[in-house]
Structure formats: C-alpha cells, structure tokens
Amino acid sequence: MRALEELVSLLTRLPGIGRKSALRMTYYLLKADHGFTDALAERIGSLQGLISFCSICGSYTEEDPCPVCSGLERDRRTICVVEQPQDVLTIEASMEYKGLYHVLGGLLSPLDGIGPDKLRIASLIQRVRKSRDTQAEGPEPVPVEEIVLATNPTVEGDTTALYIKKVLEKDGVRVTRLATGMPVGGDLEYADRLTLARSFRGRTIL
Amino acid sequence: MRALEELVSLLTRLPGIGRKSALRMTYYLLKADHGFTDALAERIGSLQGLISFCSICGSYTEEDPCPVCSGLERDRRTICVVEQPQDVLTIEASMEYKGLYHVLGGLLSPLDGIGPDKLRIASLIQRVRKSRDTQAEGPEPVPVEEIVLATNPTVEGDTTALYIKKVLEKDGVRVTRLATGMPVGGDLEYADRLTLARSFRGRTIL
C-alpha cells in the first residue's frame, strides 16, 4: 500500500527510528483515534512556525526575547555557553542552573571550515562587554561575572571552550567549564579510558 | 515552550517512544526542512482516510477488494487466518505465502468477553462453504482446501486456532497451524521453557 509505505519511509528519517519502529508507529496511527492523529499532524506541521530563535541568547523560543533572557528571577551575572538550542532545554530540565544562556550554533572545527566567524561568538563577547561597560546608556545592566562553558567534552567542544576562554579572559570574566568524569550511577568497568583519565585529573577532596 | 511540550507528549503516545526519543524526534523536526515536516504531517493526517478494510478478507487496503483478494496469481485454495490486519503485511513481506488471507480482528478471550461472535469467524466459515458449494451460481469458485492458522502462539492464539479447527474440520477442509519452535538464528540458552518444549514435540526427521 502506497500511503502506508510512504509514511513508513518518512518516519524512518526521524532519529532512532528504524523500519520496524516506523511500521509499529504506522500500525498504531492506523488504529488511533482521529483526535490524536489530527493533533499530531497539526503540531508537526506548525512546530517550525511557532518556534523561532531568541535574538539575545539564540535558544528556541515562542516569544522574543525568550523567557530566560527576559526572566526577572534569573541570575544575570552568569552566562552558560552551549553548542545547540536544545542544550538549553536539557540544562533547564535539570533545574540546576539559574543564570542566562548563549547558544553558539555549532563548535569550532577548522577541518570542516567552521571558524569563530561561523559561530555566535562575536555576539557573546558583545553581550559580556556591554554588560560590563560602566559608560553604557539606559538602565544599568548587571555585569556578567562568569561564563560557564557547557560545550560537550569532545575534541571540538574542548577546542571551542579553550578559544572562548582565551578571548574572554582579557575582559576579567571568570571562565569555567562543566566537570568531566564518571556519570552518576556509572560503572568503572564501562568507563572509557579518557573519561577515567579526566576523572583522576579532576578528582576532588572528600 | 508549549508547542514543543505538546508535540513531545503526543509523540510519547506512539508505541516504543519514551520521553527521550520524543524529544530527539522533536529537536529533529525543529531543524528538518519544511518539505519533510509538511509531508510527514500530511501523511499522518490523511492515512486513515486513504486506508480502509477489505470487505472480503478484512486486511488493510487502499482499494476494495484488496490486491490479494482480487489477485489472479494468488492460490485460492488456501486461506491464512491471522489476528490483525497488520499480520497480513508482515506475512506478505516474508514473500513465503501465495494464498489468500482472512483477518479475525482479534482472538477468543472468554475472560474479556470476546466470543466467536465478536470475531470475523462467521464470514470465514461462509467464505469456505461458499467456495466448496458445487451448486453455487456465477463463475465457478475455486474450493478452499486448506486453512493455515497463523494466530500467535499464545494461549489466546492457540485457543482461537483450536476453535476454528473444530468448526471447519466438519467441512472436510485441511486445517493446519504455523510451526512453533526455535526462531532461526536463536540460541538454546535464551529459549524459554515452553518454546523448547514445543520444539521437541514438533521435531522433524532430518
């Protein structure tokens, strides 16, 4: 059946969905109530129109600026730097961090031709400097005191973090990096060599 | 974000999709090209309207009767009895079977109040008898000679198979059941007791 096959092949383009999962989903959709299938179709079709990027931090948002950037309860002295917009949602879900964000939109990768100019690094520097500019007009901004680099602990993530640290250090901002080590609930047996090495180097006094 | 959360919670209603998978799919949809998201939304919304049930065998089809029931190349002497419409697609994908189908629409389950009248058993009996009625009018039908019971090897599947066997045996039709045993590529170590027991009982001469 063409209608069925076409849906299956579209679904397999989604991440983590193989042919078997796509078939199961399709069979489910065939039997599901109309309210559900209509709602799902409508939401998928309208998603991109409803969600755009915050003009300040670059994360996903329905209104601009995003609720974090315009949130009065957020700690404006700290900016957490992440690679992708969804990283903001992941960190927000952990409810651990109360500061602001800045999305780079990628990581430095000279081999792929991605230099600092391709990322939202200039706007990060501008945000930091503007906040610390005592001559600035308008309502007195809160000066940014700390940049938390939350790029992934990969070669590109580390390189990007180091680059940003070098640039912003001169401005007298404290630049920190998320801890790397064993995941909570992890098992030494399954930890890779590099993670283990980093865990040793980053060991803390109990 | 409401638009995002709503899509995630709709996606988690799909079989095998947890919150993490739904989030990954949503992030992918956020970045995917419009052509893909529009096509996916359209297909999900239109699926149920395009696909209905074959009035003869009860399987999913875009035209009635379905291509199998109206297929000139199919072996009309054999009817394979399955529980659900999607079982027909699964068996067709194996390309092993060339006969006709009959979908029961469920399995006998007295505890849940599902008796033979709730399933498409009467229409199966009618199909078989009509095909074997030498007095029948119209183009001479091919008499059904074998019923292959392909309900799942579960308590309900076995019960339903036995019931149909009892009813149709009187008509002189050969009633067979799919073999139960070790799956190809399986491992004795991981086979459960019942599967192993059935494999022994159903052993064949090499």
Side-chain angles (χ1 to χ4, degrees):
Chain A
M1 274 166 290
R2 249 195 51 220
L4 202 133
E5 269 308 320
E6 282 174 355
L7 179 55
V8 168
S9 86
L10 285 171
L11 288 171
T12 51
R13 283 179 52 185
L14 295 173
I17 304 297
R19 198 180 146 77
K20 283 230 166 169
S21 309
L23 268 171
R24 277 184 72 199
M25 288 161 69
T26 303
Y27 293 150
Y28 180 87
L29 289 169
L30 260 171
K31 288 190 283 192
D33 67 282
H34 275 291
F36 171 68
T37 53
D38 288 352
L40 184 60
E42 199 276 316
R43 294 302 146 86
I44 289 173
S46 67
L47 183 70
Q48 293 191 352
L50 288 170
I51 292 180
S52 57
F53 299 102
C54 172
S55 57
I56 300 174
C57 70
S59 67
Y60 290 132
T61 182
E62 286 186 65
E63 61 247 52
D64 190 24
C66 74
V68 171
C69 283
S70 58
L72 294 172
E73 79 292 357
R74 308 294 302 209
D75 175 5
R76 311 196 146 264
R77 293 165 302 175
T78 317
I79 295 181
C80 175
V81 175
V82 295
E83 178 189 349
Q84 300 173 305
Q86 61 242 47
D87 297 334
V88 174
L89 304 175
T90 308
I91 295 174
E92 281 296 283
S94 78
M95 297 198 288
E96 175 67 28
Y97 177 72
K98 292 291 166 225
L100 305 177
Y101 291 95
H102 196 86
V103 177
L104 296 174
L107 295 175
L108 290 179
S109 178
L111 288 175
D112 301 318
I114 302 174
D117 52 311
K118 295 268 175 71
L119 306 179
R120 299 180 70 254
I121 291 182
S123 62
L124 172 65
I125 298 168
Q126 204 198 341
R127 262 180 93 180
V128 173
R129 290 193 182 152
K130 206 172 156 191
S131 80
R132 298 169 71 86
D133 182 1
T134 46
Q135 313 294 316
E137 278 170 40
E140 204 162 318
V142 183
V144 173
E145 290 169 11
E146 179 174 352
I147 297 287
V148 184
L149 297 166
T151 51
N152 286 334
T154 57
V155 174
E156 286 85 3
D158 288 346
T159 311
T160 311
L162 272 176
Y163 177 85
I164 295 173
K165 177 187 136 84
K166 268 194 188 167
V167 174
L168 284 177
E169 252 179 352
K170 301 171 221 156
D171 292 86
V173 193
R174 185 161 77 249
V175 182
T176 58
R177 179 101 173 91
L178 283 195
T180 329
M182 297 276 300
V184 175
D187 192 321
L188 271 182
E189 202 177 327
Y190 301 118
D192 62 294
R193 207 169 51 80
L194 286 169
T195 301
L196 218 49
R198 289 242 200 155
S199 295
F200 270 98
R201 268 182 257 152
R203 67 191 181 278
T204 52
I205 295 166
L206 263 189
Chain B
M1 274 165 287
R2 249 197 51 219
L4 203 133
E5 269 307 321
E6 282 173 356
L7 180 54
V8 168
S9 86
L10 284 171
L11 288 171
T12 51
R13 282 179 53 185
L14 295 173
I17 305 297
R19 197 180 149 77
K20 282 228 166 170
S21 308
L23 268 171
R24 276 184 73 198
M25 287 162 68
T26 303
Y27 293 151
Y28 180 86
L29 289 168
L30 260 171
K31 288 190 283 191
D33 68 280
H34 274 292
F36 171 69
T37 51
D38 288 352
L40 184 61
E42 199 275 318
R43 294 303 147 84
I44 289 173
S46 67
L47 184 71
Q48 293 191 352
L50 288 170
I51 292 180
S52 58
F53 298 103
C54 172
S55 57
I56 300 174
C57 70
S59 66
Y60 291 132
T61 183
E62 285 186 66
E63 61 246 53
D64 189 25
C66 74
V68 171
C69 284
S70 57
L72 293 171
E73 79 294 353
R74 307 295 300 210
D75 175 5
R76 310 196 148 263
R77 293 165 303 176
T78 317
I79 294 180
C80 175
V81 176
V82 295
E83 177 188 349
Q84 299 173 304
Q86 62 242 48
D87 297 334
V88 173
L89 304 175
T90 308
I91 295 175
E92 281 296 283
S94 78
M95 296 199 288
E96 176 66 29
Y97 178 72
K98 291 292 167 223
L100 304 176
Y101 291 95
H102 196 86
V103 176
L104 294 174
L107 295 174
L108 290 179
S109 179
L111 287 176
D112 301 317
I114 302 175
D117 52 309
K118 295 267 173 72
L119 307 178
R120 298 180 70 254
I121 291 181
S123 63
L124 172 64
I125 298 168
Q126 204 198 342
R127 263 180 92 180
V128 173
R129 290 192 183 152
K130 207 173 155 193
S131 80
R132 297 170 70 85
D133 183 1
T134 46
Q135 313 294 315
E137 278 172 40
E140 204 164 317
V142 182
V144 172
E145 289 170 11
E146 178 174 353
I147 296 288
V148 184
L149 296 166
T151 51
N152 285 334
T154 57
V155 174
E156 285 86 3
D158 288 346
T159 311
T160 312
L162 273 176
Y163 177 85
I164 296 173
K165 176 186 136 82
K166 268 195 187 165
V167 175
L168 284 177
E169 249 178 353
K170 301 174 220 153
D171 291 87
V173 193
R174 186 162 76 251
V175 182
T176 58
R177 180 102 173 90
L178 282 196
T180 329
M182 297 277 297
V184 176
D187 191 321
L188 271 182
E189 202 177 326
Y190 301 118
D192 61 295
R193 208 169 50 80
L194 286 170
T195 301
L196 218 50
R198 289 241 199 156
S199 295
F200 269 101
R201 268 182 258 151
R203 66 191 181 279
T204 51
I205 295 167
L206 262 188

Short mmCIF file of all heavy atoms in Angstrom, two decimals, chain A residues 27-53:
data_model
loop_
_atom_site.label_atom_id
_atom_site.label_comp_id
_atom_site.label_asym_id
_atom_site.label_seq_id
_atom_site.Cartn_x
_atom_site.Cartn_y
_atom_site.Cartn_z
N TYR A 27 1.20 1.34 12.19
CA TYR A 27 0.06 0.49 12.55
C TYR A 27 -0.74 1.14 13.68
O TYR A 27 -1.96 1.11 13.70
CB TYR A 27 0.54 -0.89 12.99
CG TYR A 27 1.16 -1.71 11.89
CD1 TYR A 27 2.14 -2.65 12.14
CD2 TYR A 27 0.75 -1.54 10.56
CE1 TYR A 27 2.71 -3.39 11.13
CE2 TYR A 27 1.32 -2.28 9.54
CZ TYR A 27 2.29 -3.20 9.83
OH TYR A 27 2.85 -3.93 8.82
N TYR A 28 0.00 1.72 14.61
CA TYR A 28 -0.67 2.40 15.72
C TYR A 28 -1.49 3.58 15.19
O TYR A 28 -2.65 3.76 15.57
CB TYR A 28 0.36 2.88 16.74
CG TYR A 28 -0.25 3.61 17.92
CD1 TYR A 28 -0.70 2.90 19.03
CD2 TYR A 28 -0.41 4.99 17.91
CE1 TYR A 28 -1.29 3.55 20.10
CE2 TYR A 28 -0.98 5.66 18.97
CZ TYR A 28 -1.42 4.93 20.07
OH TYR A 28 -2.00 5.59 21.12
N LEU A 29 -0.90 4.36 14.28
CA LEU A 29 -1.59 5.53 13.73
C LEU A 29 -2.83 5.11 12.94
O LEU A 29 -3.83 5.83 12.92
CB LEU A 29 -0.64 6.33 12.84
CG LEU A 29 0.46 7.08 13.57
CD1 LEU A 29 1.51 7.61 12.60
CD2 LEU A 29 -0.12 8.24 14.38
N LEU A 30 -2.76 3.93 12.32
CA LEU A 30 -3.90 3.44 11.54
C LEU A 30 -5.10 3.19 12.45
O LEU A 30 -6.25 3.38 12.05
CB LEU A 30 -3.52 2.12 10.86
CG LEU A 30 -3.15 2.21 9.39
CD1 LEU A 30 -2.59 0.89 8.92
CD2 LEU A 30 -4.34 2.59 8.55
N LYS A 31 -4.82 2.75 13.69
CA LYS A 31 -5.90 2.40 14.59
C LYS A 31 -6.24 3.50 15.58
O LYS A 31 -7.25 3.42 16.27
CB LYS A 31 -5.53 1.11 15.37
CG LYS A 31 -5.56 -0.14 14.50
CD LYS A 31 -5.42 -1.39 15.33
CE LYS A 31 -3.98 -1.60 15.75
NZ LYS A 31 -3.75 -2.95 16.31
N ALA A 32 -5.36 4.51 15.66
CA ALA A 32 -5.54 5.55 16.69
C ALA A 32 -6.78 6.39 16.39
O ALA A 32 -7.25 6.44 15.26
CB ALA A 32 -4.30 6.42 16.73
N ASP A 33 -7.29 7.07 17.44
CA ASP A 33 -8.49 7.89 17.20
C ASP A 33 -8.09 9.14 16.42
O ASP A 33 -6.97 9.63 16.51
CB ASP A 33 -9.19 8.23 18.52
CG ASP A 33 -8.37 9.14 19.39
OD1 ASP A 33 -7.44 8.62 20.05
OD2 ASP A 33 -8.63 10.35 19.42
N HIS A 34 -9.07 9.63 15.67
CA HIS A 34 -8.85 10.78 14.79
C HIS A 34 -8.31 11.99 15.52
O HIS A 34 -7.47 12.72 15.01
CB HIS A 34 -10.15 11.16 14.09
CG HIS A 34 -10.39 10.38 12.85
ND1 HIS A 34 -9.61 10.53 11.73
CD2 HIS A 34 -11.28 9.41 12.56
CE1 HIS A 34 -10.04 9.70 10.79
NE2 HIS A 34 -11.04 9.00 11.26
N GLY A 35 -8.80 12.20 16.73
CA GLY A 35 -8.35 13.36 17.51
C GLY A 35 -6.84 13.35 17.66
O GLY A 35 -6.17 14.38 17.48
N PHE A 36 -6.29 12.18 17.94
CA PHE A 36 -4.85 12.06 18.15
C PHE A 36 -4.07 12.28 16.86
O PHE A 36 -3.14 13.09 16.81
CB PHE A 36 -4.51 10.70 18.74
CG PHE A 36 -3.03 10.41 18.79
CD1 PHE A 36 -2.20 11.13 19.63
CD2 PHE A 36 -2.48 9.43 17.98
CE1 PHE A 36 -0.84 10.88 19.67
CE2 PHE A 36 -1.12 9.18 18.01
CZ PHE A 36 -0.31 9.90 18.86
N THR A 37 -4.47 11.58 15.78
CA THR A 37 -3.71 11.71 14.53
C THR A 37 -3.81 13.14 13.99
O THR A 37 -2.82 13.68 13.50
CB THR A 37 -4.20 10.71 13.46
OG1 THR A 37 -5.61 10.84 13.32
CG2 THR A 37 -3.87 9.29 13.84
N ASP A 38 -4.98 13.75 14.10
CA ASP A 38 -5.12 15.12 13.62
C ASP A 38 -4.24 16.07 14.42
O ASP A 38 -3.56 16.94 13.86
CB ASP A 38 -6.59 15.57 13.70
CG ASP A 38 -7.44 14.88 12.64
OD1 ASP A 38 -6.84 14.20 11.78
OD2 ASP A 38 -8.67 15.01 12.68
N ALA A 39 -4.25 15.89 15.75
CA ALA A 39 -3.45 16.77 16.61
C ALA A 39 -1.96 16.60 16.28
O ALA A 39 -1.22 17.58 16.16
CB ALA A 39 -3.70 16.45 18.08
N LEU A 40 -1.54 15.34 16.13
CA LEU A 40 -0.13 15.07 15.84
C LEU A 40 0.28 15.70 14.51
O LEU A 40 1.32 16.38 14.42
CB LEU A 40 0.11 13.56 15.81
CG LEU A 40 1.56 13.10 15.61
CD1 LEU A 40 2.45 13.62 16.73
CD2 LEU A 40 1.64 11.59 15.55
N ALA A 41 -0.55 15.51 13.50
CA ALA A 41 -0.25 16.08 12.17
C ALA A 41 -0.17 17.60 12.26
O ALA A 41 0.76 18.22 11.73
CB ALA A 41 -1.32 15.65 11.17
N GLU A 42 -1.12 18.19 12.97
CA GLU A 42 -1.18 19.65 13.08
C GLU A 42 0.07 20.18 13.79
O GLU A 42 0.70 21.14 13.35
CB GLU A 42 -2.46 20.05 13.83
CG GLU A 42 -2.89 21.48 13.63
CD GLU A 42 -2.16 22.41 14.59
OE1 GLU A 42 -2.03 22.05 15.78
OE2 GLU A 42 -1.70 23.47 14.15
N ARG A 43 0.46 19.53 14.88
CA ARG A 43 1.61 20.01 15.66
C ARG A 43 2.91 19.88 14.88
O ARG A 43 3.78 20.73 14.95
CB ARG A 43 1.75 19.23 16.98
CG ARG A 43 0.62 19.46 17.95
CD ARG A 43 0.47 20.92 18.31
NE ARG A 43 -0.95 21.24 18.52
CZ ARG A 43 -1.60 21.08 19.65
NH1 ARG A 43 -0.97 20.65 20.71
NH2 ARG A 43 -2.87 21.37 19.75
N ILE A 44 3.06 18.76 14.16
CA ILE A 44 4.27 18.57 13.37
C ILE A 44 4.35 19.65 12.29
O ILE A 44 5.38 20.26 12.06
CB ILE A 44 4.32 17.16 12.75
CG1 ILE A 44 4.57 16.12 13.83
CG2 ILE A 44 5.41 17.07 11.67
CD1 ILE A 44 4.48 14.69 13.36
N GLY A 45 3.20 19.91 11.66
CA GLY A 45 3.18 20.89 10.58
C GLY A 45 3.40 22.31 11.06
O GLY A 45 3.98 23.14 10.35
N SER A 46 2.96 22.62 12.29
CA SER A 46 3.02 24.01 12.75
C SER A 46 4.24 24.31 13.62
O SER A 46 4.53 25.48 13.91
CB SER A 46 1.75 24.37 13.52
OG SER A 46 1.68 23.64 14.72
N LEU A 47 4.96 23.26 14.05
CA LEU A 47 6.05 23.43 15.01
C LEU A 47 7.04 24.52 14.62
O LEU A 47 7.31 25.45 15.39
CB LEU A 47 6.79 22.09 15.18
CG LEU A 47 7.92 22.07 16.22
CD1 LEU A 47 7.33 22.17 17.62
CD2 LEU A 47 8.75 20.81 16.10
N GLN A 48 7.57 24.41 13.39
CA GLN A 48 8.62 25.35 12.99
C GLN A 48 8.11 26.78 12.89
O GLN A 48 8.87 27.73 13.10
CB GLN A 48 9.23 24.91 11.65
CG GLN A 48 10.00 23.60 11.79
CD GLN A 48 10.81 23.30 10.56
OE1 GLN A 48 10.71 23.97 9.55
NE2 GLN A 48 11.64 22.27 10.65
N GLY A 49 6.82 26.94 12.60
CA GLY A 49 6.26 28.28 12.53
C GLY A 49 6.09 28.91 13.90
O GLY A 49 6.16 30.13 14.04
N LEU A 50 5.88 28.08 14.90
CA LEU A 50 5.62 28.60 16.25
C LEU A 50 6.90 28.89 17.02
O LEU A 50 6.92 29.73 17.90
CB LEU A 50 4.78 27.60 17.06
CG LEU A 50 3.31 27.46 16.64
CD1 LEU A 50 2.67 26.27 17.34
CD2 LEU A 50 2.56 28.74 16.98
N ILE A 51 7.95 28.14 16.67
CA ILE A 51 9.18 28.27 17.45
C ILE A 51 10.29 28.91 16.63
O ILE A 51 10.57 28.49 15.51
CB ILE A 51 9.61 26.88 18.00
CG1 ILE A 51 8.56 26.44 19.04
CG2 ILE A 51 11.00 26.92 18.60
CD1 ILE A 51 8.83 25.12 19.66
N SER A 52 10.88 29.96 17.18
CA SER A 52 11.99 30.61 16.49
C SER A 52 13.16 30.73 17.47
O SER A 52 13.18 30.09 18.50
CB SER A 52 11.54 31.97 15.99
OG SER A 52 11.08 32.74 17.08
N PHE A 53 14.13 31.57 17.11
CA PHE A 53 15.31 31.71 17.95
C PHE A 53 15.27 33.02 18.71
O PHE A 53 14.87 34.05 18.17
CB PHE A 53 16.58 31.64 17.10
CG PHE A 53 16.72 30.35 16.38
CD1 PHE A 53 16.42 30.25 15.04
CD2 PHE A 53 17.14 29.21 17.06
CE1 PHE A 53 16.54 29.04 14.36
CE2 PHE A 53 17.27 28.00 16.40
CZ PHE A 53 16.96 27.92 15.04
#
